[in-house]
Amino acid sequence: MIKQRGGLLVVAVAFLLLILAAPAFAAVPGVYTDGSGVAEIVAINEADCNLNITIDVAQGGTYYVQIYDDAALVFNQPYVQGGAGQFDAVYPITAPPGENPVGILIMVWGPDAAVLRSWVDLLVYSTGQQCLAIIVDGQCSTTAAIPRGAVVADLPFGGRAYWAPGKITPNVTLNPGTYWVTKVYVDNAGQVWNQIILACQYLWVPAEWMSSTATYDGPWNGEALPELVDSF
């Protein structure tokens, strides 16, 4: 459940009181409601590194959807509704669910007041490492971000790098090792290229130089390389 950490204490206490008040199960397995019918989570679907949370409401007003992961507030969005109806809250997945405890807590509050209407505790979604978004290091510009879907793959023999598919660099040689693969592209001649990152720069190598999957070390466990892109 939510830990008593700083400003989260009030939420934790409110949530505990609702549990003690014997909340009702909603139609969706794992979802609870306060029994009022004012707002209810009716569907949670995972697609394209997003959780799509569908909520039915019985009256207009401003509703808030909050998500906690490892007792930290990671999502807090208002949704203004003109009347009874349905809306979707979209939570972008940028990392696997936390482990302390495993899963996330989703809560729907409102309307126009701090009343907890519907929630699901410790939801575990399946999408994880392939949605992780990080920056290479603090010195890199935003153009060197490692996007969702990137994986680390092996370059066993090294070789000359390319600054674009088919465009060899004058003096950059890659050492054997592992590199982030951020894109996979096929040129007009049918040659497949992998985009990698070295020293905060995007470079390219022929795909046959690298493993066709991620390494089996760490969290990647042989995942497929990123999907083909239409342009570079």
Side-chain angles (χ1 to χ4, degrees):
M1 204 62 65
I2 298 179
K3 298 178 182 177
Q4 296 183 4
R5 183 182 300 175
L8 302 183
L9 177 59
V10 174
V11 174
V13 172
F15 187 55
L16 178 60
L17 290 175
L18 278 166
I19 290 176
L20 295 176
F25 273 106
V28 178
V31 175
Y32 294 87
T33 76
D34 68 344
S36 67
V38 172
E40 180 177 325
I41 298 170
V42 295
I44 302 175
N45 297 300
E46 180 183 343
D48 300 325
C49 292
N50 289 310
L51 283 183
N52 299 299
I53 305 160
T54 303
I55 300 154
D56 272 348
V57 297
Q59 62 190 71
T62 300
Y63 294 84
Y64 290 85
V65 178
Q66 295 183 338
I67 296 178
Y68 286 82
D69 194 357
D70 279 350
L73 181 64
V74 295
F75 184 85
N76 183 25
Q77 294 293 328
Y79 296 87
V80 179
Q81 302 301 301
Q86 189 176 87
F87 69 92
D88 288 331
V90 180
Y91 172 58
I93 300 169
T94 57
E99 298 181 353
N100 189 26
V102 177
I104 61 174
L105 168 64
I106 304 171
M107 297 188 290
V108 180
W109 302 79
D112 306 321
V115 180
L116 183 56
R117 299 298 187 179
S118 185
W119 65 95
V120 55
D121 194 14
L122 299 184
L123 174 76
V124 178
Y125 47 83
S126 59
T127 304
Q129 184 62 37
Q130 64 268 35
C131 292
L132 185 63
I134 66 173
I135 303 298
V136 178
D137 61 49
Q139 302 303 313
C140 292
S141 69
T142 56
T143 60
I146 299 173
R148 294 177 180 179
V151 297
V152 171
D154 293 312
L155 181 70
F157 303 109
R160 290 283 295 278
Y162 293 73
W163 62 266
K167 309 292 185 181
I168 199 163
T169 57
N171 53 12
V172 178
T173 299
L174 299 167
N175 293 322
T178 56
Y179 296 86
W180 281 100
V181 178
T182 55
K183 289 182 181 180
V184 180
Y185 173 73
V186 180
D187 63 21
N188 292 334
Q191 171 72 53
V192 183
W193 298 86
N194 290 346
Q195 185 188 68
I196 66 171
I197 289 182
L198 175 69
C200 295
Q201 298 182 59
Y202 294 123
L203 297 170
W204 294 84
V205 296
E208 63 262 27
W209 291 7
M210 303 191 73
S211 169
S212 59
T213 66
T215 69
Y216 284 86
D217 299 324
W220 297 283
N221 297 319
E223 290 183 24
L225 295 189
E227 295 182 1
L228 295 176
V229 296
D230 295 329
S231 63
F232 62 89

